[in-house]
Amino acid sequence: MTRVFSGIQPTGHLTLGNYLGAMRRWAEVDQHRADSLFCVVDLHALTMEHDPARVRRLSRQTATLLLAAGLDPEVCTVFLQSHVDEHTRLSYLLECVATDGEMRRMIQYKEKAAKERDRGGSVRLSLLTYPVLMAADILAYGTDEVPVGEDQAQHVELTRDLAVRFNQRYGQAFVVPRATIPRVAARVMNLQDPTRKMGKSDDSGAGVVYLLDEPDAVRKKVLRAVTDSGRDVVYDRAERPGLANLLDVLAACTGGNPESLADVYDSYGSLKKDTAEAVVEVLRPVQARHRELCADPAYVEGVLRDGAEKARALARPTVDRAYRAIGLLPPVAEPSLSAAR
Ligand code: AQP
C-alpha cells in the first residue's frame, strides 16, 4: 500500500492556505487511499525566535485542527514530531550526506534568514539545517508520497536527492519519495499582497484568513482583498495575481475550475462576495468540530499518544537499518538472564 507522510508546523494559527493546499486533501483523499501519517512538526517551530508557551499552545491547537479538518485516527496516524526520537536520530545521519551549499540554496532559508536579520536578530543554525530534519521526517517512514503545497516542493526535491545519495553510497536504505501538489490552490496568496504566499507567520494578518476566523472577519478580509486595476474578470496569474488568487480560492472551495469561473463573473464585487461566502461555508464544519474537540482535550491527547507509539514502531527499523548501513555498530545487547545463569 502507498505510504503517505506530511507535516505542519505549529508556528502560527493555521490558515486557509494550509487547509486548501494541504489539510483538506489529507482528510478527503489521502487518508482513505493510502497508509498515511500526519505530523505536527513541532521541532521545526524552534528554528526561529519562539516563545515556549506559545509553541505548546499552538502544537495542541494544530493537532486539534487536524482532527477537526477530518483526519480520522481510525484510518491514519496523527502525532507530534518531538514524541518520536527517530526523526532527530535520522536527521544527523542525513546531515552527513547533505552539503552546506545545498542548505544555503533553500528558498525558505534565504527568505526567513533575511527576515530575521532585518529584525536585528541572529539566524539559528537549525533554520539552515531544518530541511534535513524534514527529509528525516519523510524518509523514516518509507514514504512514497508527500502531499504538500507548492512552497514545499524544493524541500521534497532535497529529500529525494539525499535519499538517492545515501542509497548509492551506503546501500538501499530509503524509499525515494515524490511530492504531490494540488491542482488548484497549490499556493494561496496573501489577500493584501498577492505576490506573497498566505503564510501563518505573517505579521499583519489582514491578508491572511485563519481557519478559526469568525465568518464576519473572513468576509471583511475577502471583500477587502487587493485586486488589480482592470475591470473585466479574467484568469491570469502573471498579470492579474489578485484576481487569479480569488478565482483559485473560489474554485478550490466549490470544486470548480478557475478559468471557467472567470467567465461567470462580470464584476470584482460579485466575485469577492461569492468567494467570501464559499470560504465561510468551507470553514463552518471545521470550526464546529474544533469547538467539540476543545471540550474533550483527553481525546486529543489519547490520539497523539497512540499515534506516536504507532509512528515509533514504523520508523525504528528503517532508522536502525540506516545506522548500520552508514557504518555504526549496533549497541551490544545486555547478556540475557538465562545466558548469565
Ligand atoms: N499559502 C499556501 N497555499 C498552499 N499551501 C500552503 N501551505 C502553507 N501555506 C500554503 C501548505 O501547508 C502545509 C503545512 O505548511 P507548513 O506548516 O509547513 O508551512 P507554512 O504554513 O508555510 O508555515 P511557516 O513556514 O511557519 O509560515 P510562513 O510561510 O508564514 O513563514 C504544507 O504542505 C504547505 O505547503
Side-chain angles (χ1 to χ4, degrees), residues 96-99 162-172 325-326:
C96 299
V97 294
T99 67
L162 297 182
V164 168
R165 200 175 303 154
F166 191 104
N167 288 346
Q168 282 171 349
R169 284 188 193 160
Y170 306 113
Q172 194 64 31
I326 205 168

Side-chain angles (χ1 to χ4, degrees), residues 77-80 83-84 303-313:
T77 306
V78 182
F79 65 106
L80 295 184
H83 290 180
V84 181
V303 167
L304 296 177
R305 189 184 51 241
D306 296 349
E309 203 173 302
K310 254 170 80 185
R312 237 176 265 129

Side-chain angles (χ1 to χ4, degrees), residues 178-200:
R178 68 185 184 91
T180 56
I181 313 273
R183 195 179 46 81
V184 274
R187 187 186 287 264
V188 177
M189 307 308 275
N190 185 298
L191 297 175
Q192 287 300 312
D193 177 0
T195 60
R196 273 196 301 135
K197 186 189 82 164
M198 183 183 282
K200 60 172 118 66

Side-chain angles (χ1 to χ4, degrees), residues 7 30 92 135 145 172 299:
D30 295 316
Y92 181 74
E145 291 178 13
Q172 194 64 31
Y299 168 75

Side-chain angles (χ1 to χ4, degrees), residues 7-9 11 17-18 21-22 112 148-149 151-152 185-188 197-202:
I8 190 154
Q9 309 184 59
T11 39
N18 294 127
K112 290 188 174 182
V148 282
D151 60 310
Q152 290 298 333
R187 187 186 287 264
V188 177
K197 186 189 82 164
M198 183 183 282
K200 60 172 118 66
S201 49
D202 192 284

Side-chain angles (χ1 to χ4, degrees), residues 86-132:
E86 272 57 36
H87 295 237
T88 46
R89 276 183 74 212
L90 181 55
S91 184
Y92 181 74
L93 291 203
L94 296 178
E95 281 186 21
C96 299
V97 294
T99 67
D100 73 321
E102 241 167 359
M103 296 300 104
R104 287 179 206 285
R105 280 197 294 277
M106 293 294 117
I107 295 163
Q108 288 214 351
Y109 167 72
K110 288 191 206 166
E111 289 176 355
K112 290 188 174 182
K115 212 165 148 187
E116 198 66 27
R117 286 191 190 103
D118 285 349
R119 277 204 288 247
S122 49
V123 178
R124 296 181 181 187
L125 181 59
S126 56
L127 185 66
L128 182 67
T129 56
Y130 104 87
V132 178

